[in-house]
Amino acid sequence: MLTFIGLGLFDEQDISLKGLQAVQAADLVYLEFYTSYLMGTTIEKMEELYGKQIIRLMREDVEQNPEWLENAKTQNVVFLTGGDTMASTTHVDLRIRAKDMGIETRLIHGASITSAVFGLSGLQNYRFGKSVSIPFPYVSSRGNRVVTETPYDTIKFNLENGLHTLVFLDINSEHGYMTVQEALSLLLEVEEKRQEGIMEYQIAIGIARAGSDTVSVKADFANNIDAFDLGEPLQILIIPGKLHFIEAEALVKLAGAPNRLLEDFE
């Protein structure tokens, strides 16, 4: 048996009771922290609460050589991830591999940032379009700094259709955790290059440390980058499309957006 368990948003206490019971009943407990990370905890704290040794897997252990899957043929194995299980294509692929090996699987879900943002921002979940990720710039083979324009195009498409965009921010070993300020700077850099006016007078919403006691939610105009100093990671960005009155009111009263956001509804 292989049980996939989502750990939730922030620390070791976010695991569900059902998930905790499954961990405590397991023979082997594996964890991957490269697709998501619980900023409020450590593996040592998790082991203390769960009462189990946790074996951390690297990317190659999950995506390339998941030899540990063999253990699930004869033992009760748990696979832990931040957020909700199956939120990443990598995890779906792993479940398919297990199925092909004749291993029974089950899912125990956890809180996910993709659902938490609705409550934190006050935006309505059915008004979101396609989500997108912003990567850090990279250096091409010719030595040029390259900023990908795909996120800009996705936001443009959603805005043209009145839809909100959830923007995931890059995490990598070289640059660390991308901030909302860095993400907005990259979008504005593309805007300056293309001069399409997508980000001009555009409201943005930054959220940091969802699930913690120090969660920060801030709404302001995207070009007012200084307003989005949200502190520690993890952070996520929303570019809202056409707003319903309740959404606009929530952004003003709950996220500190400028009052002028309500002028269109007066």
Side-chain angles (χ1 to χ4, degrees), residues 40-54:
T41 193
T42 63
I43 292 179
E44 290 73 23
K45 289 181 180 178
M46 294 168 64
E47 289 178 329
E48 182 178 359
L49 177 62
Y50 304 164
K52 285 286 184 176
Q53 178 186 5
I54 296 175

Side-chain angles (χ1 to χ4, degrees), residues 204-215:
I205 306 158
I207 298 174
R209 300 175 302 284
S212 75
D213 293 333
T214 61
V215 60

Side-chain angles (χ1 to χ4, degrees), residues 8-10 33-40 82-83 113 120 168-172 176-180 206-212 214-216 230-237:
L9 294 171
F10 187 70
F33 259 173
Y34 69 87
T35 58
S36 183
Y37 192 85
L38 301 187
M39 298 302 299
I113 188 62
L120 289 170
F168 296 95
L169 309 186
D170 199 3
I171 301 173
N172 68 43
Y177 304 96
M178 182 180 287
T179 66
V180 167
I207 298 174
R209 300 175 302 284
S212 75
T214 61
V215 60
S216 180
L230 303 177
E232 296 298 313
L234 293 174
Q235 300 185 16
I236 196 163
L237 172 66

Side-chain angles (χ1 to χ4, degrees), residues 78-130:
V78 157
F79 179 79
L80 304 175
T81 61
D84 187 24
T85 188
M86 298 295 119
S88 169
T89 304
T90 294
H91 305 150
V92 178
D93 178 68
L94 194 59
R95 190 182 184 200
I96 292 172
R97 291 194 193 201
K99 177 72 173 180
D100 290 341
M101 294 170 64
I103 298 170
E104 182 181 356
T105 65
R106 67 169 176 154
L107 310 179
I108 299 178
H109 297 281
S112 169
I113 188 62
T114 56
S115 57
V117 294
F118 306 140
L120 289 170
S121 67
L123 300 184
Q124 298 165 359
N125 61 356
Y126 65 89
R127 297 170 64 87
F128 277 75
K130 180 182 178 181

Side-chain angles (χ1 to χ4, degrees), residues 23-38:
V23 170
Q24 292 174 339
D27 298 312
L28 292 168
V29 180
Y30 295 97
L31 164 75
E32 73 86 352
F33 259 173
Y34 69 87
T35 58
S36 183
Y37 192 85
L38 301 187

Side-chain angles (χ1 to χ4, degrees), residues 159-224:
L159 288 175
E160 289 173 344
N161 289 277
L163 300 173
H164 311 321
T165 307
L166 182 60
V167 184
F168 296 95
L169 309 186
D170 199 3
I171 301 173
N172 68 43
S173 57
E174 180 181 357
H175 300 285
Y177 304 96
M178 182 180 287
T179 66
V180 167
Q181 289 180 312
E182 290 173 317
L184 288 174
S185 293
L186 292 171
L187 289 172
L188 291 169
E189 185 175 336
V190 177
E191 171 87 314
E192 184 176 358
K193 172 185 175 183
R194 292 173 47 166
Q195 295 293 308
E196 295 185 22
I198 297 303
M199 301 301 296
E200 188 177 10
Y201 307 116
Q202 174 61 48
I203 285 288
I205 306 158
I207 298 174
R209 300 175 302 284
S212 75
D213 293 333
T214 61
V215 60
S216 180
V217 183
K218 178 61 182 176
D220 208 316
F221 291 100
N223 57 5
N224 187 14

